[in-house]
Amino acid sequence: MSLRGSYGLAAADFSVAQDWGAYAAEEHALFRRLFERQAKLVPRYACAEWIEALARLDAGSGIPRFDRVSAKLRAATGWEIVAVPGLIPDDAFFTHLANRRFPVTVWLRQPEEFDYIVEPDVFHDFFGHVPLLFDPVYADHLHEYGKGGLKAMRLDAVKMLARLYWYTIEFGLMKTHDGIRAYGAGLISSGGELAYCVTDPAPKRLDFDLETALRTDYQIDRYQTTYFVIDSFAQLMRDTAPDFTPVYDRLRNLPVLAP
Ligand code: PHE
Ligand code: CO
């Protein structure tokens, strides 16, 4: 697959300048349209932590300035965002997370990709991922995930750990007093799957189980057929805290589960 960002301009850690002034008025307008569509859905389908966090970001007026958001994030949880040209290699990605830096793609999708885009763009990365970095428990968990990623590279277990990311950070659901809600960025930033994941009777919604998530394959080009449901970010933190080394060793000898 060839990626569409400008990788030639990136530093060794794959960061680039955001160059906010270079966005066209049409791009800010498209970002606003994406924002407005999702803003109508999230009160009903997103978890309270995400909704509260969004209120701290004035992201509705166009593509945000990363430096301003980083200043707020640093004050809240010690995270910042770094601009990147798109998907970056595992070691660069994990190193950023392990240093409380979240990589956000600089470019925005084309208007014809309003409903669906294969590669993450600034709308997915920003709207989907950044708000929860204001939640202290989530913020600490993602930091631990980054350190765990560097460790998984040494243990040749990145594929397993990536499944966990998929079923939590990207497509995770949470049990709340108001019923099932989404917290995964892939859901929060999706025009169609956000309502589907909460209300459609078709997909399985399993109680989160670490080993099952590490073992379950995923499909990137359709709505998920299985979601994992956590009780709280504290549970996610707790269940992922143990040393994964023996878990990886055991799971390596077991078959991968179909999605
Ligand atoms: N506890 C994991 C390990 O020892 C690291 C990790 C933390 C992974 C949080 C994912 C999330 O490898
Ligand atoms: Co994402």
Side-chain angles (χ1 to χ4, degrees):
M1 178 172 90
S2 74
L3 299 166
R4 63 199 226 191
S6 308
Y7 289 83
L9 300 173
D13 67 354
F14 285 86
S15 63
V16 292
Q18 184 188 19
D19 196 7
W20 188 83
Y23 292 116
E26 296 73 47
E27 294 179 295
H28 288 296
L30 178 59
F31 189 97
R32 272 198 303 276
R33 281 207 291 135
L34 288 159
F35 184 96
E36 280 156 18
R37 172 178 60 179
Q38 290 315 100
K40 289 194 191 100
L41 298 171
V42 288
R44 166 73 185 85
Y45 301 115
C47 69
E49 289 86 342
W50 188 94
I51 294 169
E52 277 160 31
L54 185 72
R56 305 171 67 165
L57 286 167
D58 41 349
S61 57
I63 300 170
R65 288 182 189 259
F66 294 173
D67 53 349
R68 291 194 185 160
V69 176
S70 285
K72 289 186 187 177
L73 265 177
R74 264 192 300 270
T77 57
W79 275 76
E80 55 189 73
I81 54 188
V82 289
V84 290
L87 293 169
I88 61 175
D90 290 338
D91 60 338
F93 181 68
F94 294 140
T95 301
H96 281 305
L97 297 187
N99 290 283
R100 292 176 100 86
R101 296 189 297 262
F102 193 82
V104 176
T105 301
V106 281
W107 53 265
L108 182 67
R109 69 194 66 188
Q110 295 298 307
E112 56 275 18
E113 296 168 303
F114 194 75
D115 289 317
Y116 181 74
I117 178 156
V118 189
E119 283 171 65
D121 70 338
V122 60
F123 184 73
H124 164 81
D125 283 343
F126 189 86
F127 191 87
H129 288 281
V130 171
L132 282 178
L133 297 174
F134 284 95
D135 181 89
V137 181
Y138 182 96
D140 284 348
H141 168 258
L142 200 58
H143 183 196
E144 293 305 318
Y145 181 93
K147 291 191 276 178
L150 294 171
K151 175 168 151 188
M153 289 187 72
R154 297 193 292 274
L155 298 172
D156 194 21
V158 170
K159 224 174 155 173
M160 282 187 262
L161 193 65
R163 296 190 191 111
L164 176 65
Y165 192 88
W166 187 266
Y167 285 113
T168 57
I169 305 300
E170 292 292 357
F171 289 94
L173 297 180
M174 190 190 288
K175 228 175 276 167
T176 77
H177 296 305
D178 305 319
I180 299 259
R181 294 289 183 112
Y183 71 90
L187 299 171
I188 299 262
S189 66
S190 165
E193 194 167 356
L194 182 50
Y196 175 90
C197 70
V198 170
T199 58
D200 199 280
K204 282 192 221 163
R205 297 178 184 82
L206 308 179
D207 285 343
F208 176 74
D209 174 69
L210 175 69
E211 299 200 4
T212 310
L214 288 166
R215 283 180 68 189
T216 306
D217 246 341
Y218 57 85
Q219 293 167 302
I220 65 165
D221 56 354
R222 64 198 64 191
Y223 290 174
Q224 303 301 302
T225 51
T226 300
Y227 299 99
F228 288 92
V229 187
I230 60 172
D231 292 324
S232 62
F233 291 135
Q235 180 208 359
L236 185 58
M237 186 79 167
R238 208 166 46 240
D239 289 3
T240 55
D243 180 5
F244 284 11
T245 310
V247 181
Y248 291 146
D249 284 341
R250 188 164 61 246
L251 298 189
R252 241 186 274 281
N253 303 313
L254 297 176
V256 169
L257 303 171

